[in-house]
Amino acid sequence: MDQRHLLMHQAMLGDRRRVESYDRALAAVTDENTVVADIGAGTLALTALALRHRAAHVYAVEADPQVAAVAERIIKTNGWQDRVTLIEGDARLVRLPEQVDVTVCELMGNLGPEEDMARILRVFNRRNLRPGGTVVPERVVTWLAPVQFGTEGWGIWSPDFFGMRLDVVQELVDPTAHLHFFTQEPALLGEPVALVDTGRGDTGLRNVRPLALPLHTAGTLHAVLGYFTATLAPGIELSNMPSYPGCNWAVFVWPLRHTAVAAGDTVHVRPQRPDGSAARDVTRWRLDCRLDRVSKQ
């Protein structure tokens, strides 16, 4: 068993806000007559929550053979054989023996769509979700926001760090994307703008258009952040921004050369997603960026 799988699931199961949010969402849509499909079932946390809320049956779909083997052991250990059917395979190719009432999934990356959840669910649900059925989450939005850091992250490479100039370090650090868990609130220089929104039919980050980020506050532009907000069910949201204790998702950060900006300036950005398996390597993501100034500084 690849230990990285176990460590990844350990982090996800330890994210109490994630688990409790999905628990509340499934409680709202599940009863003793509900048939559920758990897509990307992993170590069956969402399956367990559906059973906790009396689901009649759960179809647990898992594409990774090693993880599916772990899921099979969990089913046997818990005596779920009559309530859970494990299906090993690509969810886009699966045709269940019956249509389900609820599809639940948590294939959300740090930015939201990296694992193509919306595209996978669209294909799976077309075949397997009954008309009028429920999808959890019902909507996922990827946001981009221009920020000024405090004394953390890219913000420490400043002209005044305890009286010492560290801005020269900016010339040495490759400004590629990285992940960050916030211990302080960054200052937003403009309102977040939606890059991808499954609520308007977007399915992923391929061929996204350039996005304009208007700035409403003067300051120093340090970076552009990327994060997600998932509406699991009406009134139940889950987001990785700001970071919270135990959060297993970090925020995407595209650092920029520290630049003085004014209210009314606009940052034009376009994330460049790497192809294939490289999409999981954050440092391979690029951000095309251009600044339009309202006036000369």
Side-chain angles (χ1 to χ4, degrees), residues 191-266:
E191 294 299 321
V193 178
L195 176 69
V196 176
D197 183 350
T198 63
R200 65 190 183 198
D202 300 342
T203 57
L205 289 160
R206 292 183 176 87
N207 302 316
V208 292
R209 296 178 180 179
L211 201 63
L213 308 178
L215 307 185
H216 58 53
T217 302
T220 302
L221 178 62
H222 286 158
V224 171
L225 303 186
Y227 61 96
F228 74 86
T229 299
T231 302
L232 303 185
I236 303 174
E237 287 195 345
L238 183 61
S239 181
N240 60 336
M241 178 65 188
S243 302
Y244 56 83
C247 184
N248 79 100
W249 294 285
V251 175
F252 257 68
V253 176
W254 281 280
L256 305 173
R257 187 75 61 196
H258 293 196
T259 304
V261 292
D265 290 350
T266 301

Side-chain angles (χ1 to χ4, degrees), residues 258-287:
H258 293 196
T259 304
V261 292
D265 290 350
T266 301
V267 183
H268 298 271
V269 296
R270 182 180 181 180
Q272 297 290 330
R273 172 192 169 119
D275 293 330
S277 60
R280 292 183 177 273
D281 181 357
V282 175
T283 63
R284 298 285 296 277
W285 288 72
R286 293 292 183 268
L287 187 74

Side-chain angles (χ1 to χ4, degrees), residues 13 18-19 22-24 26-27 30 36-60 71 74-75 78 80 83-85 104:
L13 293 171
R18 167 188 177 268
V19 174
Y22 269 93
D23 186 49
R24 288 189 291 126
L26 285 169
T30 308
V36 177
D38 179 2
I39 307 304
T43 47
L44 303 183
L46 302 184
T47 291
L49 295 179
L51 295 177
R52 160 181 158 86
H53 297 297
R54 303 177 297 159
H57 199 83
V58 179
Y59 292 94
I74 293 172
I75 291 170
N78 286 278
W80 290 343
R83 302 182 66 193
V84 178
T85 299
V104 63

Side-chain angles (χ1 to χ4, degrees), residues 111-214:
L111 198 58
E114 298 100 305
E115 298 181 46
D116 284 332
M117 181 174 70
R119 200 181 308 272
I120 292 169
L121 289 181
R122 174 175 290 184
V123 176
F124 175 86
N125 288 337
R126 189 182 301 131
R127 292 175 174 168
N128 299 290
L129 182 66
R130 67 166 176 79
T134 302
V135 180
V136 180
E138 62 180 31
R139 181 184 183 189
V140 180
V141 183
T142 298
W143 302 96
L144 297 186
V147 300
Q148 174 177 303
F149 282 114
T151 54
E152 68 170 326
W154 191 244
I156 66 172
W157 310 125
S158 68
D160 184 11
F161 183 81
F162 293 98
M164 175 174 58
R165 285 191 58 181
L166 289 181
D167 48 330
V168 65
V169 180
Q170 295 180 54
E171 301 171 8
L172 307 175
V173 179
D174 185 8
T176 56
H178 62 268
L179 299 177
H180 190 71
F181 291 96
F182 285 91
T183 59
Q184 307 170 31
E185 286 280 355
L188 295 184
L189 299 177
E191 294 299 321
V193 178
L195 176 69
V196 176
D197 183 350
T198 63
R200 65 190 183 198
D202 300 342
T203 57
L205 289 160
R206 292 183 176 87
N207 302 316
V208 292
R209 296 178 180 179
L211 201 63
L213 308 178

Side-chain angles (χ1 to χ4, degrees), residues 68-120:
V70 174
E72 185 175 19
R73 295 184 64 173
I74 293 172
I75 291 170
K76 291 179 179 179
T77 299
N78 286 278
W80 290 343
Q81 292 93 327
D82 61 337
R83 302 182 66 193
V84 178
T85 299
L86 177 65
I87 299 173
E88 180 186 324
D90 187 330
R92 292 167 294 187
L93 303 177
V94 167
R95 188 178 295 276
L96 299 178
E98 61 180 320
Q99 290 193 311
V100 301
D101 304 294
V102 175
T103 301
V104 63
C105 185
E106 196 280 83
L107 292 175
M108 293 182 294
N110 299 288
L111 198 58
E114 298 100 305
E115 298 181 46
D116 284 332
M117 181 174 70
R119 200 181 308 272
I120 292 169

